[in-house]
Each structure stands twice: as C-alpha cells, then as structure tokens.
Amino acid sequence: DQKPHFMRWFAPSASGAIRVTLPGGSSLVPVVTLYDKAGNLVSNGRIEGTNPGGATLAFSGLKPGAQYVIRVGSKDYATTGG
C-alpha cells in the first residue's frame, strides 16, 4: 500500500519522541511527519534514525494535551525495500 497512514494523537508533553517500528525482516524505510490540528507541518519535529526497521520523530515545543496528526509513509513511496 503506497498510501501514507494518518493518526490523530494528543501530545502528552511538550517534548519527546514518536517511534515507528516495522516487523522484523522488512526493508521498508518509514517516514514520520507531524502536523498540527489544522494540517500545518510542525517544524519543530525532526526525524532521527530513519532506516529499515524503524524511524523516530523527536519533537519539542508542543502544547501538552493538544491534538496533532502523525503521518507515516514510506521513503520514496516504496512498497518494498531495497
């Protein structure tokens, strides 16, 4: 499935990290993006460790309890790794 997946998420704190993991043996490279409730890209989030198996989005400056949207897709819209 080449479509990205979107999830509603409420920030538990102003800073932290979101970790996305893939099943063992997968060579897809996930890409994680954070948007505010209005759909604006949150510029104070950054990707760390994007590689086959997982990605971590570190964030800061969020409003605790506020709603955000997490987008999870694959690098270059891939459906298989390699």
Side-chain angles (χ1 to χ4, degrees):
D1 178 346
Q2 291 182 335
K3 297 178 199 170
H5 297 275
F6 296 87
M7 292 149 279
R8 186 176 8 183
W9 176 72
F10 294 87
S13 62
S15 62
I18 300 165
R19 174 80 179 148
V20 174
T21 57
L22 298 177
S26 175
S27 58
L28 283 175
V29 178
V31 177
V32 184
T33 314
L34 185 64
Y35 298 91
D36 65 17
K37 185 178 178 180
N40 300 305
L41 180 65
V42 175
S43 61
N44 54 352
R46 68 181 190 284
I47 299 285
E48 298 177 346
T50 299
N51 55 51
T56 301
L57 174 72
F59 58 85
S60 63
L62 301 186
K63 182 178 179 183
Q67 180 178 314
Y68 294 87
V69 175
I70 300 169
R71 177 191 180 274
V72 179
S74 59
K75 184 177 178 184
D76 301 324
Y77 305 100
T79 56
T80 60

